[in-house]
Amino acid sequence: MLQIKLIRNLFILATAFTFLTFSGCSSDDDETTIQVRVNGTVLFDDGDDFNGDVDGDFTGTGGSATRVFEWQNSLSTADYNADITATTDGAFRIVVKDADGAVVLDKSLSGSVEPDSIDGVTASGTPGVWTVTITLTSFKGDGSFSLSAGT
């Protein structure tokens, strides 16, 4: 009788151990990532600041993220350029605000939809420290963007 209880208890313990072990591992785990770099620096938290031309790139595996950084622009406009290579309906958005907080640029690109690039000159704004917000939504692919002081 004691032997049957021992075997039964070991079976219950082994079953519980197996259940707990396999329930922690799932092929459905969210492995999406987003990485945004500016002038070679990976942006993790908001608040990084840059002077001079901005050369950025980004990659994603289906994730979403927003990164904000500050950029010193001594002129009233900026030249901008962005392009993406996305295999799904993910989106890239860039919003630039001048030193007074006025929006001088708000453009988006969507994956698998033309056009896949934008360029031009921002609206005129107040020189000084400008704020740049990059938002990637369900983005799977890569791309790049740049800003330089305009005229």
Side-chain angles (χ1 to χ4, degrees), residues 34 58-63 84-86 90-92 136-143:
I34 291 289
F58 47 90
T59 59
T61 59
I84 64 171
T85 303
F92 161 85
L136 299 168
T137 307
S138 301
F139 190 82
K140 190 172 192 178
D142 58 39

Side-chain angles (χ1 to χ4, degrees), residues 34-85:
I34 291 289
Q35 182 180 65
V36 179
R37 294 187 312 170
V38 175
N39 296 349
T41 300
V42 176
L43 301 181
F44 291 105
D45 298 317
D46 298 339
D48 291 322
D49 59 337
F50 299 92
N51 292 313
D53 291 346
V54 169
D55 289 312
D57 61 74
F58 47 90
T59 59
T61 59
S64 298
T66 298
R67 299 290 185 262
V68 179
F69 63 93
E70 294 180 342
W71 173 55
Q72 178 67 41
N73 184 4
S74 60
L75 299 177
S76 61
T77 62
D79 296 321
Y80 66 90
N81 184 310
D83 64 84
I84 64 171
T85 303

Side-chain angles (χ1 to χ4, degrees), residues 4-27:
I4 293 174
K5 283 186 176 181
L6 180 63
I7 291 173
R8 186 181 62 162
N9 287 341
L10 286 174
F11 177 76
I12 291 171
L13 184 62
T15 302
F17 177 77
T18 302
F19 175 77
L20 292 173
T21 300
F22 288 112
S23 67
C25 299
S26 169
S27 62

Side-chain angles (χ1 to χ4, degrees), residues 36 38 43 46 54 58 65-71 78-82 91-99 101-109 118 122-123 129-137 145-147:
V36 179
V38 175
L43 301 181
D46 298 339
V54 169
F58 47 90
T66 298
R67 299 290 185 262
V68 179
F69 63 93
E70 294 180 342
W71 173 55
D79 296 321
Y80 66 90
N81 184 310
F92 161 85
R93 181 178 180 200
I94 182 170
V95 176
V96 180
K97 295 181 181 179
D98 70 4
V103 174
V104 295
L105 177 66
D106 186 348
K107 294 283 186 175
S108 297
L109 292 170
I118 54 174
T122 65
V129 178
W130 288 23
T131 303
V132 181
T133 303
I134 302 294
T135 303
L136 299 168
T137 307
F145 63 94
S146 65
L147 291 167

